[in-house]
Amino acid sequence: MSAAPAGAVLAPYAAHDEQSRGRRFPESRPEFRGEYQRDRDRIIHSNAFRRLVYKTQVFVNHEGDLYRTRVTHSIEVAQIARSVALALHLNEALTEAISLAHDLGHTPFGHAGQDALNECMRDYGGFEHNMQSLRVVDELEEHYAQFRGLNLTFECREGILKHASVRNARELGELGERFLNRHQPGLEAQIANLADEIAYNNHDVDDGIRAQLIDLPALRQVRMFRRQHDEVIRQYPDVGERRTVHETIRRMINYIVVDFIHTTQQQLDGLKPRSIDEVRAHAKPLAVLSEACSEEHLELKLFLREHVYRHYKVLRMTSKARRVLQQLFEAFFKDVSLMPTEHRDRALAAEKAGGVAGKARAVADYIAGMTDRYAILEHRRLFDPGERT
Ligand code: MG
């Protein structure tokens, strides 16, 4: 019996509870939930998940209350991914778990933060937010008496780890094998991965307009936007700009999601995988957009890069953020006793076990776990003589 909700029949190529490769520390099966529902619930109860409330997506948390944060982004990813998973008779709970966990390892200040930390960690194994998400669920969360981390299923962990360098893949054992063999994760992971892109490409249009970084005439150069925008204006000429723009974005998401479901279903109908392992054995993802939709989606992404991510106002914030994280890292790395006792002790133990790279990793863990506002506050406490410590 599958643990999917009553009435839902999972496809043979879905992730089935009873075929799971299991957890690192064996546990008895949950009584009233499926294995992947348990994964999702553990993620929601984690500290790292709550911290996402105050972490930047594109706009730093204090810039405005209406912008996406990491947590609202993750919920939008989960919403898109769950719709697709349900339509394709895949495991909704696993798809949701992967979506909610995919950004748990993000530093404060979004990609600027990750790049800064990666630079600081250059001689000590680097820093990559995706690897850090896995580290959070495997090692850093302290919630359960029996084990460190959340002890998630293999399928959830394989979904969280979207990419890995050859060196990291070798160290990851079973979880790293697919990067060496050029195999895929299960469909639930593939869907969460693409849903991430669909979510941010669309919500960054909304946030970019709200922040007045994007103007409509420029945005109308993007084919997918222009097509839906024309149609909305034709049907509803008098509803005002805000509703017109929201309706246009809503329709863009719908257009992409419908294409995603149809195209993936066609792939599955053609290739007829009989199990999740047959999905994994393919060299390319089976969950994809059609070529036409994918091209238009890319056009939107490039527009956002040019008009939002590289806008001078965003770049100013990211350069400030980079300096904050660099200075925090330098100060803590030079003198770990400046960190709160718990983190200092961890750094000392890590140094004893793994030398200077161990110490650097402990400092990176502390910084990566910070929210935007906590990082700003820590920076003030360290560098502003007028601030209480
Ligand atoms: Mg994301």
Side-chain angles (χ1 to χ4, degrees):
M1 267 295 285
S2 157
V9 179
L10 290 182
Y13 39 74
H16 294 258
D17 276 36
E18 57 279 8
Q19 292 164 7
S20 171
R21 292 196 191 171
R23 301 174 190 275
R24 294 204 292 169
F25 304 95
E27 293 182 66
S28 52
R29 289 187 65 163
E31 208 174 338
F32 299 108
R33 296 177 289 181
E35 294 286 3
Y36 305 118
Q37 287 173 298
R38 174 147 74 179
D39 282 352
R40 178 202 54 206
D41 298 348
R42 285 183 178 179
I43 290 159
I44 288 174
H45 288 294
S46 69
N47 284 333
F49 186 70
R50 279 195 304 284
R51 289 194 185 121
L52 296 182
V53 178
Y54 298 108
K55 288 197 184 196
T56 294
Q57 182 65 26
V58 174
F59 300 91
V60 175
N61 186 255
H62 60 249
E63 291 183 296
D65 290 345
L66 272 179
Y67 297 118
R68 267 69 177 188
T69 66
R70 288 269 159 213
V71 83
T72 55
H73 161 70
S74 300
I75 292 168
E76 289 183 39
V77 173
Q79 181 273 321
I80 289 171
R82 284 168 55 213
S83 302
V84 177
L86 270 177
L88 296 170
H89 299 283
L90 297 167
N91 198 308
E92 183 188 9
L94 175 59
T95 312
E96 185 179 15
I98 295 168
S99 304
L100 293 179
H102 84 282
D103 273 349
L104 287 180
H106 247 295
T107 60
F109 311 122
H111 283 278
Q114 117 133 3
D115 293 346
L117 209 47
N118 187 31
E119 226 169 276
C120 298
M121 289 292 288
R122 199 174 37 210
D123 297 334
Y124 314 109
F127 179 90
E128 208 273 307
H129 72 84
N130 189 226
M131 282 288 290
Q132 189 72 5
S133 294
L134 186 69
R135 193 166 156 73
V136 166
V137 300
D138 278 357
E139 303 283 338
L140 299 179
E141 278 292 322
E142 294 181 297
H143 252 74
Y144 301 95
Q146 285 169 273
F147 40 76
R148 294 189 67 85
L150 304 180
N151 200 30
L152 302 179
T153 59
F154 176 88
E155 290 70 28
C156 193
R157 294 170 63 237
E158 105 177 317
I160 291 171
L161 192 67
K162 290 188 212 175
H163 30 76
S165 64
V166 171
R167 195 187 59 189
N168 285 336
R170 288 209 180 99
E171 279 172 21
L172 286 166
E174 195 190 11
L175 203 62
E177 275 171 22
R178 79 173 156 97
F179 300 100
L180 305 172
N181 304 334
R182 295 178 183 278
H183 283 175
Q184 300 302 314
L187 282 160
E188 288 81 358
Q190 295 183 24
I191 285 167
N193 193 7
L194 198 47
D196 184 19
E197 271 189 55
I198 297 171
Y200 67 67
N201 278 334
N202 285 283
H203 66 48
D204 289 352
V205 170
D206 186 33
D207 281 351
I209 291 172
R210 177 169 295 112
Q212 298 177 332
L213 306 183
I214 296 178
D215 59 48
L216 273 182
L219 183 56
R220 281 179 52 82
Q221 291 162 16
V222 177
R223 277 175 293 170
M224 192 166 33
F225 184 87
R226 184 174 61 237
R227 201 168 54 242
Q228 307 293 344
H229 194 233
D230 283 344
E231 186 56 22
V232 175
I233 291 171
R234 195 185 62 76
Q235 282 182 296
Y236 304 99
D238 306 317
V239 293
E241 188 172 307
R242 181 175 297 171
R243 283 170 75 189
T244 304
V245 166
H246 284 156
E247 178 67 25
T248 304
I249 295 172
R250 184 186 84 76
R251 289 179 183 212
M252 281 204 295
I253 296 175
N254 188 59
Y255 163 72
I256 301 168
V257 167
V258 167
D259 181 276
F260 189 11
I261 294 167
H262 283 317
T263 312
T264 305
Q265 188 65 63
Q266 276 166 17
Q267 293 261 100
L268 293 167
D269 290 346
L271 294 163
K272 296 189 175 51
R274 283 166 302 180
S275 67
I276 187 170
D277 278 333
E278 288 195 12
V279 170
R280 287 179 174 130
H282 282 272
K284 286 189 174 160
L286 303 183
V288 287
L289 300 177
S290 69
E291 229 170 89
C293 183
S294 175
E295 210 180 279
E296 287 191 338
H297 200 219
L298 183 65
E299 190 181 76
L300 175 62
K301 191 178 181 159
L302 295 177
F303 175 88
L304 287 167
R305 188 181 299 168
E306 186 63 33
H307 291 256
V308 178
Y309 314 139
R310 290 188 187 153
H311 192 284
Y312 79 92
K313 287 186 181 169
V314 172
L315 291 179
R316 277 184 193 179
M317 195 60 223
T318 53
S319 91
K320 264 193 273 187
R322 192 172 299 133
R323 276 197 298 280
V324 167
L325 287 205
Q326 270 163 356
Q327 288 169 2
L328 285 177
F329 185 91
E330 275 164 30
F332 293 141
F333 185 69
K334 211 191 273 172
D335 185 359
V336 294
S337 53
L338 294 178
M339 291 195 284
T341 317
E342 178 196 347
H343 294 279
R344 178 204 63 194
D345 291 349
R346 258 192 215 161
L348 291 174
E351 187 171 22
K352 216 170 171 189
V356 68
K359 176 175 85 167
R361 185 62 58 193
V363 172
D365 284 340
Y366 176 47
I367 293 175
M370 294 178 184
T371 61
D372 295 359
R373 58 183 189 175
Y374 184 82
I376 292 168
L377 188 60
E378 274 292 74
H379 188 264
R380 262 192 231 138
R381 286 175 186 142
L382 277 177
F383 296 103
D384 178 355
E387 185 73 32
R388 295 173 66 162
T389 56

